Amino acid sequence: MTSPNSHSTHSTHSTPASPPVHRPLPTRPLGATGPRVSAIGLGAMGMSALYGDADRSESIATIHAALDAGVTLIDTGDFYGMGHNEMLIGEALRAAPAADREKALISVKFGALRDPDGGWSGYDGRPAAVKNFAAYSLQRLGAEHIDVYRIARVDPDVPVEETVGAIAELVEAGHVRHIGLSEVGADTLRRAASVAPIADLQIEYSLISRGIEDSILPTARELGIGVTAYGVLSRGLISGHFSGGRKLAADDFRGMSPRFQGDNLRHNLDLVEQLRKIAEQKGVSVAQLAIAWVLSRGEDIVPLVGARRRDRLAEALGALGVAFGEDELAAIERAVPRGAAAGERYPAAQMAHLDSEH
């Protein structure tokens, strides 16, 4: 059984066979101080929230398939479904073979404040709150420690040094292994790194979201901080599976996303068709092309793919078998020049919370 909102029911294009992926999966470091992880990680958010209904059994099966394939990094947030996502991952890990379970590394975002109706009411980065959030995450995951812990958005009322310092105390106590950050700008990255070693920065990066290339990515590289890139398919927009006439569920985040609205959507899907031509010539899917492009940006970048189903996971992992020549990269740049997308990546109210955009 698949989700009624799954992409495949709206696709008019067949997916090419996946390129060969060599086992075990290649690995990449999370910065100079973090662990080595699979070159592609699994983002689990869509299994619990923001993209409409998901199938629980298929979600767990997808986590198991990812672990079996050699994916070691699973990303979540304690506010995804108000704890649902962490409990789902915990359930999946308990049912996984011991060898897979022991290799799994869990990255957790915290700090987003929710209400019982699913609303958002800011972020809390106070040291006491950091430790409180961690205690609940450890319980929901059924884990002895969290591998990478990061605040989802900087709390404007709390210096980032205090938030990171609290995570550093959790590291010292053995409750957390590594410190991460999310959606912060270059200056904040430097301030945080002055307090404690930062393994990685989680931030949106894709063919149509390239703002980090100006100052954030160079600063991360200077400081030895890795990047875990989310939104590599722009929430399905550049997956090759999204169609202009698709009906979104009432609780699907994309219904409010500027890039999925009206003329913006039509323009952006035209870009996807330009990518499709290149993908077809290469014998890969549009999604594989887009993920492989992010992989090509550097060994210090680990793309997160938000697969909710095993077939989408298999397609995404096929990107590991895709390599580009200089002429192919140039063709991709011509098809989707930097800044070519129409619309911001979040609604205005959410853009205001992004330290990375200021």
Side-chain angles (χ1 to χ4, degrees):
M1 176 180 178
T2 57
S3 164
N5 297 309
S6 61
H7 292 176
S8 64
T9 58
H10 301 275
S11 175
T12 57
H13 302 271
S14 60
T15 299
S18 295
V21 180
H22 302 290
R23 298 292 189 268
L25 294 187
T27 62
R28 292 184 169 188
L30 286 189
T33 63
R36 292 194 72 88
V37 299
S38 52
I40 287 179
L42 177 65
M45 181 185 76
M47 297 177 180
S48 299
L50 300 178
Y51 291 132
D53 292 338
D55 184 294
R56 184 181 186 86
S57 61
E58 180 62 21
S59 294
I60 291 174
T62 300
I63 294 171
H64 288 165
L67 294 170
D68 182 64
V71 173
T72 61
L73 180 64
I74 301 176
D75 181 76
T76 184
D78 64 7
F79 50 94
Y80 294 165
M82 282 64 84
H84 177 277
N85 205 237
E86 289 179 318
M87 291 188 289
L88 182 77
I89 291 169
E91 179 182 346
L93 290 177
R94 286 191 295 275
D100 288 347
R101 184 168 62 248
E102 290 167 5
K103 293 176 184 176
L105 300 173
I106 308 301
S107 166
V108 177
K109 290 180 291 298
F110 68 88
L113 303 177
R114 309 293 301 273
D115 63 37
D117 296 319
W120 304 79
S121 51
Y123 297 88
D124 193 345
R126 295 171 301 152
V130 172
K131 294 174 183 179
N132 178 75
F133 289 132
Y136 281 84
S137 286
L138 288 166
Q139 181 66 26
R140 285 188 292 258
L141 289 165
E144 295 181 354
H145 66 268
I146 297 167
D147 295 288
V148 189
Y149 202 48
R150 70 187 87 237
I151 191 165
R153 302 287 186 267
V154 173
D155 181 345
D157 297 324
V158 178
V160 71
E161 292 89 344
E162 293 184 14
T163 302
V164 168
I167 305 175
E169 291 177 3
L170 289 170
V171 172
E172 186 176 355
H175 303 305
V176 168
R177 291 282 173 83
H178 303 281
I179 304 171
L181 292 167
S182 177
E183 286 289 354
V184 304
D187 290 344
T188 303
L189 201 57
R190 290 186 186 281
R191 288 169 53 198
S194 72
V195 175
I198 306 298
D200 72 317
L201 168 64
Q202 189 173 121
I203 197 162
E204 186 166 354
Y205 189 40
S206 73
L207 271 166
I208 63 172
S209 296
R210 297 177 59 176
I212 72 169
E213 294 174 349
D214 292 329
S215 61
I216 295 174
L217 183 56
T219 300
R221 285 175 167 163
E222 175 192 337
L223 298 173
I225 296 171
V227 168
T228 42
Y230 77 87
V232 294
L233 296 179
S234 299
R235 299 162 185 84
L237 181 59
I238 59 171
S239 67
H241 302 301
F242 199 93
S243 65
R246 180 170 174 181
K247 301 297 183 183
L248 296 172
D251 58 347
D252 193 317
F253 161 81
R254 292 169 293 191
M256 298 180 294
S257 175
R259 289 182 174 172
F260 287 82
Q261 308 303 312
D263 290 341
N264 287 352
L265 178 60
R266 285 185 283 274
H267 170 86
N268 294 331
L269 290 179
D270 284 344
L271 296 177
V272 174
E273 291 312 305
Q274 297 306 308
L275 286 178
R276 195 183 304 279
K277 295 175 184 177
I278 300 171
E280 288 176 348
Q281 290 176 353
K282 195 167 179 62
V284 301
S285 73
V286 177
Q288 288 164 348
L289 185 84
I291 297 166
W293 181 88
V294 176
L295 284 164
S296 77
R297 298 300 86 193
E299 288 290 319
D300 54 348
I301 298 174
V302 176
L304 299 172
V305 297
R308 299 193 293 175
R309 299 184 352 228
R310 285 167 285 182
D311 58 338
R312 292 288 187 251
L313 172 68
E315 180 185 16
L317 293 180
L320 291 166
V322 179
F324 298 115
E326 290 300 320
D327 55 336
E328 292 173 318
L329 287 171
I332 293 170
E333 292 279 350
R334 287 193 299 270
V336 184
R338 180 176 167 174
E344 298 284 359
R345 56 194 183 102
Y346 285 100
Q350 294 184 42
M351 288 291 288
H353 285 292
L354 296 177
D355 182 79
S356 55
E357 294 287 340
H358 303 298

